[in-house]
Amino acid sequence: MKPSILGFLKNAAASLAPFQKLVLISLAAWVTHILLRVLLLFRSNPYGFPFVSKPDWFIFHAVCIDFLWIVNALVVFLILGGIVYRITASKATVKAIVVKIVTVLYAVFHTAILLLTLLDNETQRFLGGHLTFGLVDTYKDTSSIIVFYDYVANDLSVPYLQFVVLALMLPLTYGVYRLFCKWYRPNDGFYVKKSVIAMLVFYIASYLFVYFIWTGNARMTKLRPVVALIYNDLFIAKKTVSLSEADLNTYRTAYQNLWQKIEGDSDWQFSDAKEGNGLPLYRVPNASLLNSEKLKAQREMQPNFILVLMESQRGRNTGYMNPQIQPSPTPFMDSLAAHSHAWVRMHTSGVPTTGGVLSTHIGIPHHSRLAQATDLAHVTIPSFVQVLTENGYSTHYMSAADPAWDNLGVWMSKWYTAQHYNREREDDSTFVDHAIEYVRDTLSKEGKPFFATLMTRSNHYPFNFAAGMTDEEKNRPLQERINVTMNYADRQIARFIHAVENEEWYKNTYVIIMADHGFPLGENGVSTMNGGGFSNISWIPFFIHGKGLEAIRDTMTAAQIDVAPTVLELAGFAVPNIFMGHNLLRGNVMKADSVANDSAAVDSTISTEAKEIAGLSLGAYSGYAAIGLDGYRFIAKYPAQDETHIFADSDLRQETELTGKLQKEEGHLSATLDTLLKISDYSLEHGLL
């Protein structure tokens, strides 16, 4: 056995030996890819913002990822070339031709990949997403070339650098290859063995580093090489929604009828105008709404807005939503909520942070299958913040976490006047210090209304980021540790509000406090973010504090998709939009009219009929989806729906499952969920013109 294995290895080595130049081509291509990565990661995007705020957190992974795929490609070519070489006639001239053809094909392969990589890098810089077949199909018109040239000419990083790189990268690669040929000693057996061993060791080290030692899905998505993009598009891509005209019309009718029923008035009408790009969501305000004295008064008031998005702030651990928790982890939020309009049945419309933040901004739940922040970054999807910006507001997105990390920065740059992030301010305390200073001393003095979003970070898994945590606190179980970090975040928001609440402009400011999403800590058998759509991940705090809003605990079921139309109502704007959500302050909806100590007491103030039409909550959660409607919360593994759960909408901790007991309701909610998500996915993929 041993002699035969040894003989096989010797024969294999003999077959591969003539292809040693492929190794040198691989190394030369790797060097060029490293330079392309440096030009991508350490340069700003064309709009003057950093492509990533922490390039040192990306570059080593990029080097390793490129080495891995290049070696994988090398092995494929070596095996195929070796097989052809073995079965070729024994004539030396024929074998030489085989070696030459394989070498040329390999060089052409890397040439093509280098050119596509440069194009993919620039696509990421300009559009925020990778190059895909779908994107090429979207921008296949020749006018796109002219637009691209204009972008390159006005690149706020280095104009026209793309053309310089395009002209030099192939000659550079060839020059590096020639240097390797000069240094390489193919006839020195020991030298060859050392080279092979070194490459093998680095390959293993790269694999361990990228996939086990320092992982990160967002980073891996951003650094995905072109070969992986092509393979993904060809074989494993999650296909976009393809609806026939008949199916689209059926879903359109069902969605629009449901939306109008929940809205409960005739202030809006759906439109087929070309501006809506044929989207079933596109609706326009009628004349009576446009001329509304209420909206006019709000516009004249020009209120400011402060939106606080709190990282992983679970409804299950928020004090005012769970009065049985003592002491409360969130005493400041509790005190402010007591003087605010608080919706106690609020659910996130997407996870993780990208899902929650984007859903809040665009009024549409997260895509049920695609990684929306990256896969759909090229699609034109408006936000309520964009409406404010276009109407004279100074809009600022402030984040303690790096918005470039998960591609949120690309979206925020479309809608906001400016973004604020500094890696030295990643703790909520230093982040809030900056927010206080900027909002109070700069933003409020610009002479125009403002909208400021604050995205916190300290209450992030594994819930040990809060400054000043003791070793004892860091070693507590997750279920207890999260109370420490939630309390820390609560104290920082208290500092912010206390620092500005006596300012004159604060009297004309709406403060909106909510979470991006919850976090599963074992409830309902789920402890991972993609393990289900239960309330541990979806139930979040949400309240609005400000002029003209009564202190109410509102039991209308709601979701993040409702934030956009609600804010525009407070700002006094009624504009054509594609929000799936509803204005939570619309006057025809019955709500609780007094503050109560628990949700059960509030429930008793609302009639059954009012609850049935009071609202809708909708969300997509990494392979799961959920809908709240008609007094129930229905959860399903999506799109298969081979796993479903149903609870009473009032059972916010979801402790009493009703699955199997309400077949009629389950069937109705299942069909409605499918209709709504098909409509929302379709709309996200197509966007507006």
Side-chain angles (χ1 to χ4, degrees), residues 522-636:
E523 304 88 357
N524 300 101
V526 175
S527 57
T528 60
M529 288 290 281
N530 60 353
F534 296 102
S535 65
N536 52 11
I537 198 173
S538 72
W539 186 31
I540 58 173
F542 174 67
F543 60 83
I544 305 178
H545 177 81
K547 186 176 180 180
L549 296 178
E550 298 179 7
I552 293 173
R553 284 175 59 99
D554 196 324
T555 59
M556 177 170 60
T557 189
Q560 286 172 327
I561 58 175
D562 298 317
V563 173
T566 303
V567 171
L568 290 185
E569 166 80 6
L570 289 171
F573 297 112
V575 298
N577 65 75
I578 55 174
F579 305 143
M580 289 187 77
H582 298 265
N583 165 25
L584 297 177
L585 297 171
R586 59 194 188 279
N588 60 310
V589 179
M590 295 182 64
K591 312 180 186 76
D593 56 5
S594 62
V595 176
N597 292 325
D598 58 71
S599 58
V602 178
D603 286 349
S604 65
T605 69
I606 303 179
S607 70
T608 303
E609 180 181 359
K611 286 183 186 177
E612 289 179 351
I613 65 170
L616 167 78
S617 58
L618 181 67
Y621 313 113
S622 301
Y624 285 80
I627 182 173
L629 181 67
D630 297 339
Y632 297 101
R633 178 82 175 167
F634 177 79
I635 303 165

Side-chain angles (χ1 to χ4, degrees), residues 223-517:
L223 297 178
R224 192 179 298 159
V226 164
V227 288
L229 296 174
I230 295 173
Y231 180 83
N232 184 72
D233 260 16
L234 289 176
F235 301 109
I236 61 175
K238 299 173 181 178
K239 301 302 181 183
T240 58
V241 173
S242 179
L243 299 176
S244 67
E245 191 65 28
D247 285 342
L248 181 59
N249 287 333
T250 299
Y251 291 131
R252 181 197 309 269
T253 300
Y255 161 72
Q256 293 179 355
N257 287 340
L258 177 62
W259 192 92
Q260 291 286 17
K261 174 186 175 184
I262 294 172
E263 187 73 3
D265 59 37
S266 56
D267 287 342
W268 295 87
Q269 61 185 27
F270 290 95
S271 170
D272 294 328
K274 65 178 183 179
E275 292 83 0
N277 196 26
L279 298 187
L281 307 183
Y282 188 70
R283 54 188 170 90
V284 297
N286 63 22
S288 62
L289 180 59
L290 289 173
N291 297 320
S292 163
E293 289 297 324
K294 180 181 177 183
L295 288 186
K296 181 181 178 182
Q298 289 295 119
R299 283 196 302 275
E300 292 176 349
M301 194 172 81
Q302 292 190 316
N304 307 303
F305 294 88
I306 296 173
L307 169 62
V308 181
L309 283 161
M310 304 193 73
E311 174 66 50
S312 303
Q313 201 84 350
R314 299 195 341 153
R316 295 178 69 106
N317 294 69
T318 301
Y320 75 89
M321 302 166 75
N322 301 272
Q324 75 279 8
I325 300 178
Q326 296 297 330
S328 169
T330 57
F332 175 74
M333 286 181 62
D334 303 344
S335 65
L336 192 59
H339 301 280
S340 308
H341 192 137
W343 286 263
V344 295
R345 295 189 189 176
M346 182 72 167
H347 293 271
T348 183
S349 293
V351 296
T353 296
T354 52
V357 172
L358 290 179
S359 297
T360 298
H361 281 78
I362 66 177
I364 304 174
H366 192 266
H367 199 285
S368 67
R369 298 179 312 284
L370 301 179
Q372 183 176 328
T374 51
D375 293 344
L376 299 177
H378 62 285
V379 181
T380 300
I381 304 174
S383 159
F384 76 91
V385 176
Q386 181 179 340
V387 175
L388 296 178
T389 304
E390 293 171 351
N391 282 277
Y393 272 72
S394 182
T395 55
H396 293 253
Y397 183 78
M398 306 179 184
S399 179
D402 182 2
W405 169 254
D406 47 16
N407 223 44
L408 276 178
V410 171
W411 295 81
M412 300 305 123
S413 65
K414 299 178 183 181
W415 305 323
Y416 284 84
T417 307
Q419 297 182 67
H420 301 250
Y421 164 76
N422 188 305
R423 63 188 304 172
E424 303 300 323
R425 299 193 297 260
E426 290 196 331
D427 181 79
D428 283 353
S429 61
T430 51
F431 167 67
V432 164
D433 287 341
H434 168 73
I436 291 171
E437 181 180 353
Y438 190 82
V439 172
R440 183 185 60 196
D441 302 335
T442 301
L443 193 55
S444 65
K445 298 179 180 178
E446 289 184 353
K448 60 173 68 174
F450 66 82
F451 184 98
T453 295
L454 279 62
M455 178 74 225
T456 69
R457 178 179 182 269
S458 292
N459 187 50
H460 193 287
Y461 178 84
F463 310 115
N464 58 8
F465 291 161
M469 285 185 72
T470 65
D471 290 339
E472 184 274 329
E473 289 172 331
K474 291 181 179 180
N475 290 324
R476 292 179 187 177
L478 281 176
Q479 292 84 349
E480 298 177 18
R481 198 157 71 229
I482 191 173
N483 289 327
V484 178
T485 50
M486 282 183 65
N487 179 259
Y488 178 80
D490 182 79
R491 297 199 310 270
Q492 303 314 313
I493 297 305
R495 279 204 309 119
F496 176 84
I497 297 299
H498 291 326
V500 301
E501 63 184 352
N502 292 321
E503 300 290 327
E504 187 64 27
W505 53 264
Y506 185 80
K507 299 175 183 177
N508 192 37
T509 299
Y510 291 106
V511 175
I512 307 168
I513 295 186
M514 62 185 298
D516 57 349
H517 54 75

Side-chain angles (χ1 to χ4, degrees), residues 1-26:
M1 179 66 71
K2 290 184 179 179
S4 61
I5 294 176
L6 185 60
F8 172 78
L9 293 176
K10 286 183 177 179
N11 290 333
S15 300
L16 298 178
F19 299 100
Q20 293 184 43
K21 285 186 177 180
L22 270 62
V23 177
L24 305 184
I25 294 173
S26 300

